[in-house]
Amino acid sequence: MTRRLLALSVVCVTIVAVAPVLGGGLDGTRGDFIVWQLRVPRVLVAALVGGMLSLAGAVFQAVFANPLATPSTVGTIAGATLGALAALVLPSSFVLAGLPATVIGAFAGALAVSLVVAAFASSGRAGMADVLLAGIGVTLAASAIATGLQYTADMRAMFAAAQWSLGHLPQVGYRGVVVLAPVVAAACAVLLSQTRALQALAVDEDLARAQGVDVGRTRTIALVAASAGVSACVAWCGPIAFVGLMVPHIVRRLVGVTQRAVLPASLVGGAAFLVACDTVSRLALPGRELPVGVITALLGAPTLVFLVARRHR
């Protein structure tokens, strides 16, 4: 049954990915440019980012044994925002390997903040509640520094930061695919290799230890790999909220709670979900385009309220 659902998910993501690429009025040189230089790269980046965010969300929910855990739990989003804002506010024309200062700053900020929490989680004395509190503390600290930077920013930097914070997927060419694909592939491979340990950890930490799972090592590997993949995605596209929260919950209703099914299904489902949301954002307003983060937030906010209410009951 699980394999059939996974196969069906692959078919669905293929259909969802192909639909926005094909369309009417795309003949000739102009049509080739729109399809191969604009739409195909955009779909590929959306699939990479959506799959990574969703898989990271499923992993965090297993590691923290908390259905409301997301990639922002360990401060990744706050760190990326701080790094991107610092690159926009501080005068700099720094470019590395063709990547602008905003992307480099966001990636460095997200990874630095996440590694602080991961290092705390790797200690044998830290429980899950302690790690969650550490993530909240680091997030608040990064947000406070970002607020201070905003106070010193000019209108140009503030407008650029506001645009970046909404999340964006438009691509010209395959630069984003080349940048993201190696990082996302490596992070996903590492996370999927920890499926058995995450299954035991999601049930009970003591049970995981009794089954021979090195809880500290598994926790550290999961947090570092997920944070690295999410950091790359957020640095390139900006923060896209709620994907890592919604998709794993939808997947569990379809394939059950076994991590062997949840993790790969979340990867595939997240890719299809973000491609679909990006298509809606592109077509919702004729002649204009909404940031994809607006669409995911509109869907995610009611989902979060529903999950909190359901958990309370």
Side-chain angles (χ1 to χ4, degrees):
M1 183 65 177
T2 299
R3 292 181 179 178
R4 291 180 181 178
L5 286 172
L6 288 176
L8 180 60
S9 299
V10 172
V11 173
C12 290
V13 73
T14 303
I15 294 173
V16 171
V18 170
V21 171
L22 302 177
L26 298 178
D27 298 329
T29 304
R30 180 173 177 270
D32 291 340
F33 177 81
I34 291 174
V35 170
W36 297 110
Q37 297 298 321
L38 296 179
R39 293 191 181 179
V40 171
R42 182 167 177 161
V43 166
L44 292 176
V45 169
L48 288 170
V49 174
M52 183 70 251
L53 293 177
S54 178
L55 177 60
V59 168
F60 282 134
Q61 289 165 17
V63 168
F64 292 105
N66 188 327
L68 300 180
T70 67
S72 62
T73 300
V74 297
T76 305
I77 305 300
T81 303
L82 174 59
L85 187 60
L88 290 170
V89 172
L90 302 177
S92 174
S93 58
F94 180 71
V95 176
L96 178 63
L99 299 177
T102 305
V103 174
I104 297 170
F107 180 75
L111 197 58
V113 169
S114 301
L115 290 179
V116 169
V117 179
F120 181 76
S122 64
S123 64
R125 299 182 300 274
M128 280 296 94
D130 300 324
V131 177
L132 283 172
L133 289 175
I136 293 172
V138 172
T139 298
L140 292 176
S143 299
I145 299 173
T147 302
L149 287 175
Q150 289 177 356
Y151 184 75
T152 63
D154 56 17
M155 291 300 296
R156 177 199 61 80
M158 289 292 292
F159 181 72
Q163 283 187 314
W164 180 88
S165 66
L166 292 174
H168 55 278
L169 288 172
Q171 308 288 314
V172 179
Y174 294 85
R175 180 66 173 171
V177 179
V178 173
V179 170
L180 290 179
V183 181
V184 170
C188 291
V190 171
L191 294 175
L192 292 175
S193 71
Q194 301 296 312
T195 300
R196 175 185 170 276
L198 289 173
Q199 174 62 42
L201 196 59
V203 175
D204 184 75
E205 191 171 314
D206 293 331
L207 175 63
R209 288 194 176 93
Q211 293 180 352
V213 176
D214 189 334
V215 174
R217 179 175 176 273
T218 300
R219 190 186 296 166
T220 303
I221 291 174
L223 292 180
V224 170
S227 298
V230 171
S231 297
C233 294
V234 173
W236 188 261
C237 299
I240 300 176
F242 292 109
V243 177
L245 175 66
M246 286 187 291
V247 177
H249 283 280
I250 296 172
V251 164
R252 289 190 191 95
R253 288 183 173 272
L254 296 175
V255 303
V257 297
T258 305
Q259 297 300 314
R260 186 176 62 180
V262 169
L263 297 185
S266 295
L267 177 62
V268 176
F273 176 77
L274 193 56
V275 170
C277 288
D278 183 53
T279 303
V280 172
S281 71
R282 187 166 54 84
L283 301 177
L285 298 177
R288 304 188 65 182
E289 182 175 318
L290 288 172
V292 68
V294 174
I295 303 299
T296 59
L298 286 174
L299 296 174
T303 302
L304 179 61
V305 173
F306 170 76
L307 292 175
V308 172
R310 185 171 179 269
R311 189 185 184 198
H312 181 70
R313 288 200 302 269

